[in-house]
Amino acid sequence: MPVSNTEPALSPSLFHRRLMDDMQPSMSFDGGDVVEWQARLRPKVRELVGFPDGERISLNPQSLWKRDHPDGTIEKLVFHSEPGSDILAYLCLPANAIPPYPFFICVQGHTTGMHHSIAVERDDNSVPMEVAGDRDFGLQCMARGIGALCIEQRSFGERRELVQEQVSTHGCHDASMHALMLGRTLIGERVFDVDRGLDFLETRDDVDWSRIGIMGNSGGGTISLFSAALLRRIKFAMPSCYFCTFRDSMMSIYHCADNYVPGLLKYAEMADVMGLFAPRPVVLVCGVEDTIFPVDATRRAFSDLQRIYRAAGAADRCHLVEGAGGHRFYADDAWPVMLGELERG
Ligand SMILES: [Zn+2]
């Protein structure tokens, strides 16, 4: 037997990198008719995220408390998502606006939860707190005459996992992995919760359905993007510190388990998933110093997305806002662009 003079290839991760480098997503936008392409890709993404397609139960919304705020009123609600899974949310109604209000669904990422959206401590909900990185989305909406429904995402905040055996820094691990075994993903379940939030808004008479948006940062950016891609009732989207390429973010840099969708990269890159939202207006927000969603890849992905928006006749409705720092939201940079889009309608 000859003596080998090459190093054996023993790394599973380097092997996956090689597979990925040799692979082209088979349903990426091909330059043809956008509507026809979307009609093919959207059900595939919906299937891959394991979107719960069962019968919808009654929401049965209950009010937990309601209080005044200088910019409006805030009410804490609980309502049913699926049998055995309930959603907590803050409903923020602006004082200086006349209904029907534009509304944004607001979702936090890997923080201590939705309490950031209204800048109060989590467990008591009455003690004010400082919110870093412009994550007080609910208050930002109210101050701009926009209603907000701030949803607690599964595995975060008051819905954080309390039963997993080994609590890691990222409490999403067990729920993410168990979802995979059940043919679901946490992304699909969280998008379903957003859809149920829209069902809740349907029960109200103060909602301007031509101006329904979604926003969130990091893990909230993830769900903003997938919700925009899959839910037709959403008309405006502002995902922050998520839009990039899958290759250069979760396939190259450590991300926790709730970022992964089995098989997705065989079919589509992130720009394709976001492209399912075209021609509806999108304001993508990134930080030029974000270390987990590298800005160079974000710019390349944005160029791919612009191609889709151009083909959809909406080149001017797709925006990339670059904040000067790291992984956070940039309210002063992003809101003027979104408000311009909301005014256009
Ligand atoms: Zn996570």
Side-chain angles (χ1 to χ4, degrees), residues 194-335:
V194 170
D195 211 19
R196 296 296 276 162
L198 295 169
D199 288 346
F200 168 73
L201 292 181
E202 294 260 16
T203 68
R204 304 181 57 84
D205 59 6
D206 57 359
V207 178
D208 176 355
W209 283 95
S210 69
R211 290 187 293 168
I212 295 287
I214 188 160
M215 66 182 293
N217 186 65
S218 189
T222 313
I223 300 309
S224 299
L225 185 145
F226 276 90
S227 296
L230 295 176
L231 306 179
R232 305 306 294 268
R233 288 182 286 186
I234 294 175
K235 307 297 186 202
F236 297 83
M238 188 156 58
S240 172
C241 285
Y242 175 67
F243 185 72
C244 193
T245 64
F246 292 128
R247 286 163 192 256
D248 293 277
S249 56
M250 53 267 329
M251 296 301 283
S252 300
I253 301 167
Y254 176 82
H255 284 76
C256 52
D258 56 352
N259 284 284
Y260 296 86
V261 176
L264 181 53
L265 202 44
K266 281 169 62 182
Y267 300 99
E269 248 296 354
M270 202 189 295
D272 299 310
V273 180
M274 189 73 250
L276 294 175
F277 194 58
R280 291 167 282 173
V282 59
V283 178
L284 298 156
V285 183
C286 70
V288 295
E289 293 172 5
D290 191 336
T291 54
I292 55 174
F293 295 96
V295 70
D296 289 347
T298 297
R299 289 169 182 153
R300 273 188 277 114
F302 183 65
S303 152
D304 290 340
L305 181 64
Q306 282 179 308
R307 180 167 163 258
I308 299 170
Y309 268 72
R310 267 198 307 276
D316 58 339
R317 310 220 73 173
C318 143
H319 309 270
L320 178 63
V321 170
E322 298 189 5
H327 189 69
R328 49 162 290 179
F329 185 55
Y330 295 89
D332 291 344
D333 300 309
W335 272 113

Side-chain angles (χ1 to χ4, degrees), residues 117-154:
S117 289
I118 60 166
V120 294
E121 295 285 350
R122 180 177 67 197
D123 295 324
D124 174 86
N125 275 192
S126 68
V127 181
M129 67 169 228
E130 288 291 314
V131 173
D134 292 346
R135 292 179 177 85
D136 51 351
F137 307 138
L139 302 187
Q140 291 170 29
C141 286
M142 280 201 302
R144 289 163 177 82
I146 299 168
L149 186 69
C150 308
I151 288 178
E152 192 78 288
Q153 297 215 72
R154 300 186 196 207

